[in-house]
Protein backbone atom coordinates (compact mmCIF):
# COMPACT_ATOMS: atom_id res chain seq x y z
CA UNK A 1 0.00 0.00 0.00
CA UNK A 2 2.86 2.36 0.77
CA UNK A 3 4.29 1.65 -2.66
CA UNK A 4 0.92 2.35 -4.33
CA UNK A 5 0.51 5.63 -2.44
CA UNK A 6 4.05 6.68 -3.30
CA UNK A 7 3.36 5.97 -6.96
CA UNK A 8 0.01 7.81 -6.92
CA UNK A 9 1.36 10.91 -5.17
CA UNK A 10 4.46 11.11 -7.33
CA UNK A 11 5.67 14.70 -7.16
CA UNK A 12 6.82 14.65 -10.77
CA UNK A 13 3.23 13.98 -11.85
CA UNK A 14 1.37 16.41 -9.61
CA UNK A 15 3.78 19.35 -9.27
CA UNK A 16 5.95 21.50 -11.53
CA UNK A 17 9.66 20.87 -11.77
CA UNK A 18 11.76 21.64 -8.67
CA UNK A 19 8.65 21.67 -6.42
CA UNK A 20 7.99 19.02 -3.75
CA UNK A 21 5.16 18.22 -1.37
CA UNK A 22 7.32 19.54 1.44
CA UNK A 23 7.17 23.00 -0.16
CA UNK A 24 3.36 22.93 0.19
CA UNK A 25 3.12 21.84 3.82
CA UNK A 26 1.12 24.06 6.14
CA UNK A 27 3.12 26.43 8.31
CA UNK A 28 2.26 29.04 10.92
CA UNK A 29 2.63 31.75 8.28
CA UNK A 30 0.59 30.18 5.47
CA UNK A 31 -1.74 27.29 4.66
CA UNK A 32 -1.81 25.34 1.40
CA UNK A 33 -4.33 22.87 -0.05
CA UNK A 34 -3.92 19.37 1.36
CA UNK A 35 -5.36 16.26 -0.27
CA UNK A 36 -6.93 15.13 3.01
CA UNK A 37 -9.05 18.30 3.03
CA UNK A 38 -11.16 16.75 0.27
CA UNK A 39 -12.32 14.04 2.68
CA UNK A 40 -14.49 16.69 4.33
CA UNK A 41 -16.62 16.79 1.18
CA UNK A 42 -18.01 13.25 1.66
CA UNK A 43 -19.92 13.80 4.94
CA UNK A 44 -20.88 17.30 3.81
CA UNK A 45 -22.32 15.85 0.58
CA UNK A 46 -24.48 13.48 2.63
CA UNK A 47 -25.62 16.43 4.77
CA UNK A 48 -26.53 18.37 1.62
CA UNK A 49 -28.49 15.36 0.41
CA UNK A 50 -30.48 15.30 3.66
CA UNK A 51 -30.88 19.08 3.58
CA UNK A 52 -32.28 18.78 0.09
CA UNK A 53 -34.98 16.34 1.23
CA UNK A 54 -35.96 18.66 4.09
CA UNK A 55 -35.93 21.69 1.79
CA UNK A 56 -38.12 20.00 -0.81
CA UNK A 57 -40.63 18.82 1.78
CA UNK A 58 -40.99 21.89 3.98
CA UNK A 59 -40.12 24.78 1.65
CA UNK A 60 -40.34 23.81 -2.01
CA UNK A 61 -43.53 21.73 -1.76
CA UNK A 62 -45.56 24.48 0.00
CA UNK A 63 -44.33 26.93 -2.65
CA UNK A 64 -45.43 24.53 -5.39
CA UNK A 65 -48.85 24.09 -3.79
CA UNK A 66 -49.16 27.87 -3.55
CA UNK A 67 -48.46 28.10 -7.28
CA UNK A 68 -51.20 25.52 -7.91
CA UNK A 69 -48.81 22.92 -9.29
CA UNK A 70 -50.55 19.57 -9.41
CA UNK A 71 -49.10 16.72 -7.36
CA UNK A 72 -50.83 13.99 -9.35
CA UNK A 73 -48.76 12.02 -11.82
CA UNK A 74 -49.73 10.72 -15.27
CA UNK A 75 -52.71 8.46 -15.89
CA UNK A 76 -52.15 5.06 -14.30
CA UNK A 77 -52.35 1.91 -16.40
CA UNK A 78 -55.16 -0.53 -15.66
CA UNK A 79 -53.80 -3.38 -13.47
CA UNK A 80 -53.06 -6.48 -15.55
CA UNK A 81 -50.95 -9.34 -14.20
CA UNK A 82 -49.76 -10.62 -17.59
CA UNK A 83 -48.69 -7.24 -18.95
CA UNK A 84 -47.13 -6.29 -15.61
CA UNK A 85 -45.01 -9.45 -15.67
CA UNK A 86 -43.80 -8.66 -19.18
CA UNK A 87 -43.09 -5.05 -18.21
CA UNK A 88 -41.08 -5.85 -15.08
CA UNK A 89 -39.33 -9.07 -16.12
CA UNK A 90 -38.89 -8.92 -19.90
CA UNK A 91 -39.15 -5.54 -21.60
CA UNK A 92 -40.68 -2.11 -21.21
CA UNK A 93 -40.72 -1.60 -24.97
CA UNK A 94 -42.21 -4.74 -26.59
CA UNK A 95 -41.56 -5.28 -30.27
CA UNK A 96 -44.23 -5.98 -32.89
CA UNK A 97 -43.99 -9.76 -32.55
CA UNK A 98 -44.48 -9.68 -28.78
CA UNK A 99 -47.33 -7.21 -29.13
CA UNK A 100 -49.15 -9.56 -31.50
CA UNK A 101 -48.64 -12.47 -29.11
CA UNK A 102 -50.01 -10.48 -26.17
CA UNK A 103 -52.94 -9.34 -28.33
CA UNK A 104 -53.97 -12.95 -29.00
CA UNK A 105 -53.40 -13.99 -25.38
CA UNK A 106 -55.45 -11.15 -23.86
CA UNK A 107 -57.91 -10.64 -26.73
CA UNK A 108 -56.87 -6.96 -26.83
CA UNK A 109 -56.01 -5.01 -29.94
CA UNK A 110 -52.35 -4.04 -30.44
CA UNK A 111 -53.04 -0.34 -30.02
CA UNK A 112 -54.55 -0.89 -26.57
CA UNK A 113 -51.51 -2.89 -25.47
CA UNK A 114 -49.18 -0.17 -26.79
CA UNK A 115 -51.18 2.38 -24.86
CA UNK A 116 -50.95 0.28 -21.68
CA UNK A 117 -47.15 0.04 -21.93
CA UNK A 118 -46.91 3.78 -22.61
CA UNK A 119 -49.03 4.59 -19.56
CA UNK A 120 -47.05 2.10 -17.47
CA UNK A 121 -43.75 3.72 -18.46
CA UNK A 122 -45.12 7.17 -17.67
CA UNK A 123 -46.40 5.86 -14.36
CA UNK A 124 -42.82 5.53 -13.12
CA UNK A 125 -42.09 9.18 -13.81
CA UNK A 126 -42.42 11.73 -11.01
CA UNK A 127 -45.07 14.41 -11.02
CA UNK A 128 -44.58 18.03 -12.04
CA UNK A 129 -44.59 18.95 -8.36
CA UNK A 130 -41.65 16.64 -7.71
CA UNK A 131 -39.67 18.09 -10.59
CA UNK A 132 -40.45 21.62 -9.42
CA UNK A 133 -39.10 20.81 -5.96
CA UNK A 134 -35.89 19.39 -7.44
CA UNK A 135 -35.36 22.50 -9.55
CA UNK A 136 -36.11 24.84 -6.66
CA UNK A 137 -33.44 23.13 -4.52
CA UNK A 138 -30.82 23.44 -7.24
CA UNK A 139 -31.87 27.03 -7.98
CA UNK A 140 -31.49 27.96 -4.30
CA UNK A 141 -28.06 26.41 -4.01
CA UNK A 142 -26.75 27.84 -7.28
CA UNK A 143 -28.00 31.30 -6.36
CA UNK A 144 -26.32 31.09 -2.95
CA UNK A 145 -22.99 29.73 -4.17
CA UNK A 146 -22.86 32.11 -7.15
CA UNK A 147 -23.50 35.09 -4.89
CA UNK A 148 -20.83 33.88 -2.47
CA UNK A 149 -18.33 33.24 -5.27
CA UNK A 150 -18.93 36.61 -6.90
CA UNK A 151 -18.46 38.48 -3.61
CA UNK A 152 -15.26 36.52 -2.98
CA UNK A 153 -13.81 37.01 -6.48
CA UNK A 154 -14.48 40.78 -6.47
CA UNK A 155 -11.75 41.07 -3.85
CA UNK A 156 -9.20 38.99 -5.76
CA UNK A 157 -6.68 40.25 -8.36
CA UNK A 158 -7.06 37.23 -10.66
CA UNK A 159 -10.67 38.09 -11.53
CA UNK A 160 -9.47 40.97 -13.70
CA UNK A 161 -6.01 39.68 -14.60
CA UNK A 162 -5.88 35.91 -15.17
CA UNK A 163 -2.06 35.93 -15.16
CA UNK A 164 -2.33 36.38 -11.39
CA UNK A 165 -3.49 32.75 -11.27
CA UNK A 166 0.09 31.70 -11.99
CA UNK A 167 2.18 34.27 -10.12
CA UNK A 168 4.43 32.35 -7.64
CA UNK A 169 2.57 29.15 -8.50
CA UNK A 170 2.21 26.74 -6.71
CA UNK A 171 3.34 28.63 -3.59
CA UNK A 172 0.06 30.48 -3.25
CA UNK A 173 -1.47 30.51 0.26
CA UNK A 174 -4.98 29.14 0.74
CA UNK A 175 -7.48 31.41 2.49
CA UNK A 176 -10.39 30.18 4.58
CA UNK A 177 -12.94 31.70 2.17
CA UNK A 178 -11.37 29.99 -0.82
CA UNK A 179 -11.22 26.63 0.95
CA UNK A 180 -14.87 26.91 1.99
CA UNK A 181 -15.87 27.79 -1.59
CA UNK A 182 -14.08 24.72 -2.95
CA UNK A 183 -15.27 22.18 -0.38
CA UNK A 184 -18.91 23.28 -0.62
CA UNK A 185 -18.85 23.12 -4.43
CA UNK A 186 -17.26 19.66 -4.36
CA UNK A 187 -19.80 18.47 -1.79
CA UNK A 188 -22.71 19.68 -3.89
CA UNK A 189 -21.55 17.88 -7.01
CA UNK A 190 -20.96 14.73 -4.98
CA UNK A 191 -24.54 15.00 -3.73
CA UNK A 192 -25.75 15.45 -7.34
CA UNK A 193 -23.83 12.34 -8.30
CA UNK A 194 -25.55 10.45 -5.48
CA UNK A 195 -28.99 11.80 -6.35
CA UNK A 196 -28.62 10.64 -9.98
CA UNK A 197 -29.18 7.11 -8.73
CA UNK A 198 -32.13 8.05 -6.50
CA UNK A 199 -33.97 10.55 -8.74
CA UNK A 200 -35.89 9.73 -11.89
CA UNK A 201 -33.86 8.29 -14.75
CA UNK A 202 -33.09 11.00 -17.29
CA UNK A 203 -32.61 10.58 -21.01
CA UNK A 204 -29.16 12.14 -20.67
CA UNK A 205 -28.21 10.05 -17.63
CA UNK A 206 -24.83 9.00 -19.03
CA UNK A 207 -23.99 12.51 -20.23
CA UNK A 208 -24.83 14.00 -16.85
CA UNK A 209 -22.88 11.25 -15.11
CA UNK A 210 -19.88 12.07 -17.29
CA UNK A 211 -20.39 15.78 -16.58
CA UNK A 212 -20.51 15.27 -12.80
CA UNK A 213 -17.47 12.98 -12.83
CA UNK A 214 -15.50 15.47 -14.96
CA UNK A 215 -16.51 18.35 -12.68
CA UNK A 216 -15.61 16.44 -9.51
CA UNK A 217 -12.28 15.43 -11.04
CA UNK A 218 -11.54 19.00 -12.09
CA UNK A 219 -12.32 20.38 -8.65
CA UNK A 220 -10.26 17.69 -6.93
CA UNK A 221 -7.31 17.97 -9.29
CA UNK A 222 -7.17 21.73 -9.16
CA UNK A 223 -7.33 21.66 -5.36
CA UNK A 224 -4.60 19.06 -4.87
CA UNK A 225 -2.06 20.84 -7.09
CA UNK A 226 -3.22 24.30 -5.94
CA UNK A 227 -4.81 25.51 -9.18
CA UNK A 228 -7.59 26.92 -7.03
CA UNK A 229 -7.44 30.44 -8.41
CA UNK A 230 -8.40 29.44 -11.94
CA UNK A 231 -10.79 26.88 -10.41
CA UNK A 232 -12.81 29.64 -8.71
CA UNK A 233 -13.23 31.43 -12.05
CA UNK A 234 -14.50 28.23 -13.65
CA UNK A 235 -16.98 27.47 -10.85
CA UNK A 236 -18.41 30.98 -10.74
CA UNK A 237 -18.89 31.05 -14.51
CA UNK A 238 -20.83 27.78 -14.43
CA UNK A 239 -22.99 28.71 -11.44
CA UNK A 240 -24.15 31.95 -13.09
CA UNK A 241 -25.79 30.10 -15.99
CA UNK A 242 -27.17 27.30 -13.82
CA UNK A 243 -29.23 29.83 -11.86
CA UNK A 244 -31.07 30.85 -15.03
CA UNK A 245 -31.50 27.24 -16.11
CA UNK A 246 -33.26 26.17 -12.93
CA UNK A 247 -35.33 29.37 -12.82
CA UNK A 248 -36.60 28.68 -16.35
CA UNK A 249 -37.55 25.13 -15.40
CA UNK A 250 -39.42 26.36 -12.33
CA UNK A 251 -41.38 28.83 -14.46
CA UNK A 252 -42.09 26.01 -16.90
CA UNK A 253 -43.56 23.76 -14.20
CA UNK A 254 -45.55 26.68 -12.73
CA UNK A 255 -47.07 27.43 -16.17
CA UNK A 256 -45.77 31.00 -16.15
CA UNK A 257 -45.41 31.08 -19.94
CA UNK A 258 -44.16 34.64 -20.40
CA UNK A 259 -41.60 34.34 -17.63
CA UNK A 260 -40.57 30.92 -18.88
CA UNK A 261 -39.94 32.23 -22.40
CA UNK A 262 -37.96 35.19 -21.11
CA UNK A 263 -35.78 33.07 -18.81
CA UNK A 264 -35.20 30.48 -21.52
CA UNK A 265 -34.05 33.20 -23.92
CA UNK A 266 -31.77 34.68 -21.26
CA UNK A 267 -30.43 31.24 -20.38
CA UNK A 268 -29.75 30.39 -24.03
CA UNK A 269 -27.83 33.62 -24.65
CA UNK A 270 -25.80 33.36 -21.45
CA UNK A 271 -25.07 29.66 -21.88
CA UNK A 272 -23.82 29.93 -25.44
CA UNK A 273 -21.87 33.16 -24.86
CA UNK A 274 -20.26 31.91 -21.63
CA UNK A 275 -19.58 28.30 -22.66
CA UNK A 276 -18.50 28.94 -26.25
CA UNK A 277 -17.09 32.44 -25.79
CA UNK A 278 -15.99 33.43 -22.29
CA UNK A 279 -14.77 30.00 -21.18
CA UNK A 280 -12.39 29.37 -24.14
CA UNK A 281 -11.18 32.97 -24.38
CA UNK A 282 -10.88 33.64 -20.65
CA UNK A 283 -10.23 30.34 -18.88
CA UNK A 284 -8.85 27.94 -21.48
CA UNK A 285 -6.54 30.69 -22.66
CA UNK A 286 -4.99 31.06 -19.21
CA UNK A 287 -4.82 27.32 -18.44
CA UNK A 288 -3.31 26.42 -21.82
CA UNK A 289 -1.16 29.39 -22.82
CA UNK A 290 -0.53 31.76 -19.91
CA UNK A 291 0.31 28.88 -17.57
CA UNK A 292 2.60 27.39 -20.24
CA UNK A 293 4.56 30.64 -20.41
CA UNK A 294 4.73 31.29 -16.65
CA UNK A 295 4.95 27.76 -15.21
CA UNK A 296 5.49 25.31 -18.02
CA UNK A 297 3.72 21.98 -18.66
CA UNK A 298 3.97 18.92 -16.41
CA UNK A 299 1.94 15.66 -16.30
CA UNK A 300 -0.98 16.79 -14.11
CA UNK A 301 -1.13 20.03 -16.10
CA UNK A 302 -1.86 17.96 -19.21
CA UNK A 303 -4.55 15.93 -17.41
CA UNK A 304 -6.19 19.05 -15.98
CA UNK A 305 -6.42 20.66 -19.41
CA UNK A 306 -7.67 17.40 -20.93
CA UNK A 307 -10.55 17.41 -18.45
CA UNK A 308 -11.27 21.04 -19.31
CA UNK A 309 -11.39 20.18 -23.01
CA UNK A 310 -13.75 17.29 -22.24
CA UNK A 311 -16.01 19.70 -20.39
CA UNK A 312 -15.83 22.09 -23.32
CA UNK A 313 -16.89 19.30 -25.69
CA UNK A 314 -19.96 18.63 -23.51
CA UNK A 315 -20.76 22.35 -23.54
CA UNK A 316 -20.57 22.41 -27.32
CA UNK A 317 -22.99 19.49 -27.56
CA UNK A 318 -25.45 21.11 -25.14
CA UNK A 319 -25.19 24.40 -27.02
CA UNK A 320 -26.21 22.53 -30.16
CA UNK A 321 -29.26 21.12 -28.33
CA UNK A 322 -30.21 24.59 -27.07
CA UNK A 323 -30.02 26.07 -30.57
CA UNK A 324 -32.05 23.13 -31.90
CA UNK A 325 -34.71 23.67 -29.22
CA UNK A 326 -34.83 27.40 -29.95
CA UNK A 327 -35.21 26.76 -33.69
CA UNK A 328 -38.13 24.40 -33.05
CA UNK A 329 -39.73 27.05 -30.85
CA UNK A 330 -39.34 29.70 -33.57
CA UNK A 331 -40.86 27.37 -36.15
CA UNK A 332 -43.83 26.70 -33.86
CA UNK A 333 -44.14 30.43 -33.27
CA UNK A 334 -44.82 31.03 -36.95
CA UNK A 335 -48.12 29.17 -36.69
CA UNK A 336 -48.87 29.53 -32.99
CA UNK A 337 -47.55 30.73 -29.68
CA UNK A 338 -43.77 30.69 -29.19
CA UNK A 339 -43.18 28.04 -26.54
CA UNK A 340 -39.57 26.82 -26.23
CA UNK A 341 -40.12 24.65 -23.19
CA UNK A 342 -43.64 23.45 -24.06
CA UNK A 343 -45.02 24.31 -20.64
CA UNK A 344 -46.10 21.45 -18.38
CA UNK A 345 -43.89 19.03 -20.31
CA UNK A 346 -40.20 18.38 -19.70
CA UNK A 347 -37.97 16.81 -22.32
CA UNK A 348 -35.84 15.24 -19.60
CA UNK A 349 -38.83 13.62 -17.95
CA UNK A 350 -39.42 11.17 -20.81
CA UNK A 351 -43.18 11.68 -20.60
CA UNK A 352 -44.72 9.98 -23.63
CA UNK A 353 -47.88 10.99 -25.43
CA UNK A 354 -49.88 9.63 -28.34
CA UNK A 355 -51.65 11.50 -31.08
CA UNK A 356 -54.61 9.17 -30.96
CA UNK A 357 -54.72 8.28 -27.28
CA UNK A 358 -58.22 7.87 -25.92
CA UNK A 359 -59.63 8.43 -22.48
CA UNK A 360 -61.22 5.73 -20.40
CA UNK A 361 -60.12 2.58 -18.60
CA UNK A 362 -58.31 -0.07 -20.60
CA UNK A 363 -60.51 -2.87 -19.42
CA UNK A 364 -63.59 -1.39 -21.05
CA UNK A 365 -62.08 -1.19 -24.53
CA UNK A 366 -63.26 -3.62 -27.26
CA UNK A 367 -60.99 -5.24 -29.80
CA UNK A 368 -60.62 -3.29 -33.02
CA UNK A 369 -60.70 -4.67 -36.53
CA UNK A 370 -57.89 -6.80 -37.89
CA UNK A 371 -56.69 -3.87 -39.98
CA UNK A 372 -56.31 -1.80 -36.82
CA UNK A 373 -54.50 -4.62 -35.06
CA UNK A 374 -51.73 -4.50 -37.63
CA UNK A 375 -51.14 -0.80 -37.16
CA UNK A 376 -48.46 0.38 -34.74
CA UNK A 377 -49.22 3.55 -32.90
CA UNK A 378 -46.38 6.03 -33.01
CA UNK A 379 -45.33 7.84 -29.89
CA UNK A 380 -43.41 11.03 -29.55
CA UNK A 381 -41.60 12.64 -26.64
CA UNK A 382 -42.69 15.97 -25.33
CA UNK A 383 -40.50 18.84 -26.41
CA UNK A 384 -39.06 20.83 -23.56
CA UNK A 385 -36.06 21.54 -21.42
CA UNK A 386 -33.53 19.13 -22.78
CA UNK A 387 -30.09 20.64 -23.14
CA UNK A 388 -28.73 21.10 -19.67
CA UNK A 389 -27.98 19.96 -16.65
CA UNK A 390 -28.02 20.99 -13.45
CA UNK A 391 -27.23 21.18 -13.64
CA UNK A 392 -26.83 22.26 -13.94
CA UNK A 393 -22.63 22.49 -14.61
Amino acid sequence: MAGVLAWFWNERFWLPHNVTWADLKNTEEASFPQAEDLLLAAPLAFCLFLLRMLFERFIARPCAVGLRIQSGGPQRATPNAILEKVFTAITKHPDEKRLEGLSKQLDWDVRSIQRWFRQRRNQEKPSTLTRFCESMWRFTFYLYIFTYGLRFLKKTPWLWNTKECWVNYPNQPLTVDLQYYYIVELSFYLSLLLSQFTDMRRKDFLLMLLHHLATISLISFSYVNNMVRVGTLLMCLHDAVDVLMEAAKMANYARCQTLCNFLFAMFSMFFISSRLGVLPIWILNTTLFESWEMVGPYPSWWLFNLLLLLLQALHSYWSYLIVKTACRAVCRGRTGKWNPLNVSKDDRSDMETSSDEEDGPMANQKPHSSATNGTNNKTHEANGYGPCPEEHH
Side-chain angles (χ1 to χ4, degrees):
M1 181 59 68
V4 172
L5 291 176
W7 169 82
F8 183 81
W9 295 112
N10 190 310
E11 294 169 340
R12 297 286 59 84
F13 172 81
W14 289 97
L15 302 174
H17 300 295
N18 301 321
V19 179
T20 65
W21 292 119
D23 299 329
L24 299 179
K25 288 293 183 181
N26 292 334
T27 63
E28 295 181 358
E29 292 78 18
S31 297
F32 298 95
Q34 306 297 314
E36 54 267 25
D37 296 342
L38 299 177
L39 297 177
L40 297 172
L44 185 56
F46 183 71
C47 292
L48 285 175
F49 186 76
L50 295 179
L51 180 62
R52 171 197 165 179
M53 292 192 293
L54 295 174
F55 178 90
E56 290 183 359
R57 180 170 182 178
F58 296 107
I59 297 179
R61 183 173 289 271
C63 291
V65 173
L67 292 171
R68 300 178 183 276
I69 296 178
Q70 299 294 327
S71 59
Q75 181 181 357
R76 301 184 67 86
T78 304
N80 186 287
I82 296 176
L83 296 180
E84 184 69 24
K85 183 177 180 179
V86 173
F87 182 87
T88 56
I90 301 177
T91 179
K92 297 181 180 180
H93 299 270
D95 56 19
E96 183 176 355
K97 183 178 180 180
R98 190 176 299 277
L99 286 172
E100 292 177 355
L102 291 172
S103 176
K104 295 177 181 178
Q105 183 178 0
L106 296 174
D107 195 25
W108 285 17
D109 62 280
V110 173
R111 184 169 299 178
S112 298
I113 298 175
Q114 286 178 321
R115 186 179 297 112
W116 188 95
F117 274 92
R118 182 170 53 254
Q119 291 176 344
R120 185 62 181 84
R121 289 192 296 268
N122 288 341
Q123 190 175 311
E124 295 188 337
K125 308 302 178 182
S127 64
T128 302
L129 185 144
T130 300
R131 297 197 297 270
F132 176 88
C133 293
E134 293 178 4
S135 292
M136 188 173 180
W137 160 251
R138 289 193 291 266
F139 168 80
T140 303
F141 178 85
Y142 286 135
L143 182 61
Y144 162 74
I145 203 65
F146 170 69
T147 304
Y148 178 90
L150 193 61
R151 292 181 60 185
F152 167 75
L153 286 172
K154 285 172 59 178
K155 301 179 291 185
T156 63
W158 61 85
L159 176 63
W160 314 109
N161 181 12
T162 53
K163 288 186 177 181
E164 290 290 333
C165 294
W166 313 107
V167 174
N168 296 325
Y169 176 83
N171 298 304
Q172 298 169 341
L174 178 70
T175 64
V176 175
D177 291 342
L178 199 157
Q179 184 183 38
Y180 171 81
Y181 189 19
Y182 247 78
I183 298 300
V184 171
E185 282 274 15
L186 179 59
S187 302
F188 179 71
Y189 281 103
L190 284 173
S191 69
L192 286 184
L193 186 64
L194 174 63
S195 64
Q196 266 208 278
F197 299 94
T198 59
D199 292 343
M200 68 178 182
R201 183 83 174 208
R202 311 282 191 180
K203 280 180 60 180
D204 57 355
F205 175 86
L206 292 179
L207 273 177
M208 292 306 301
L209 181 64
L210 181 62
H211 177 271
H212 294 333
L213 291 175
T215 304
I216 291 169
S217 300
L218 276 169
I219 294 175
S220 302
F221 264 86
S222 60
Y223 188 86
V224 169
N225 59 12
N226 205 15
M227 290 185 178
V228 290
R229 292 187 176 184
V230 71
T232 56
L233 300 178
L234 187 64
M235 292 188 300
C236 189
L237 181 65
H238 279 71
D239 294 335
V241 180
D242 290 337
V243 172
L244 291 172
M245 177 184 67
E246 299 302 336
K249 293 171 72 174
M250 290 167 59
N252 179 30
Y253 300 140
R255 297 175 179 268
C256 299
Q257 185 61 51
T258 302
L259 179 61
C260 173
N261 293 342
F262 172 76
L263 290 173
F264 177 80
M266 292 289 293
F267 160 75
S268 300
M269 290 187 295
F270 273 92
F271 186 94
I272 295 174
S273 61
S274 63
R275 300 301 205 265
L276 302 185
V278 177
L279 194 151
I281 296 174
W282 189 36
I283 295 180
L284 289 181
N285 176 66
T286 190
T287 60
L288 286 171
F289 303 110
E290 292 179 350
S291 65
W292 183 292
E293 296 175 0
M294 301 179 67
V295 180
Y298 51 97
S300 68
W301 178 93
W302 288 102
L303 183 56
F304 179 74
N305 281 284
L306 181 63
L307 290 171
L308 277 179
L309 292 175
L310 173 62
L311 200 61
Q312 183 61 34
L314 290 174
H315 292 156
S316 300
Y317 174 71
W318 281 319
S319 297
Y320 159 74
L321 292 181
I322 291 174
V323 172
K324 185 177 179 180
T325 301
C327 290
R328 287 202 307 264
V330 171
C331 292
R332 286 199 301 270
R334 293 174 182 172
T335 57
K337 192 173 183 180
W338 192 78
N339 185 6
L341 300 188
N342 198 6
V343 168
S344 80
K345 297 179 181 179
D346 186 355
D347 187 42
R348 292 181 60 191
S349 69
D350 282 346
M351 297 302 293
E352 300 174 83
T353 59
S354 173
S355 58
D356 58 351
E357 183 163 347
E358 303 169 359
D359 296 329
M362 189 73 63
N364 295 331
Q365 294 178 348
K366 301 295 182 182
H368 291 216
S369 65
S370 58
T372 306
N373 292 341
T375 303
N376 290 331
N377 181 43
K378 298 182 180 179
T379 62
H380 65 274
E381 296 173 355
N383 296 322
Y385 208 97
C388 289
E390 275 305 6
E391 315 104 81
H392 10 128
H393 311 234

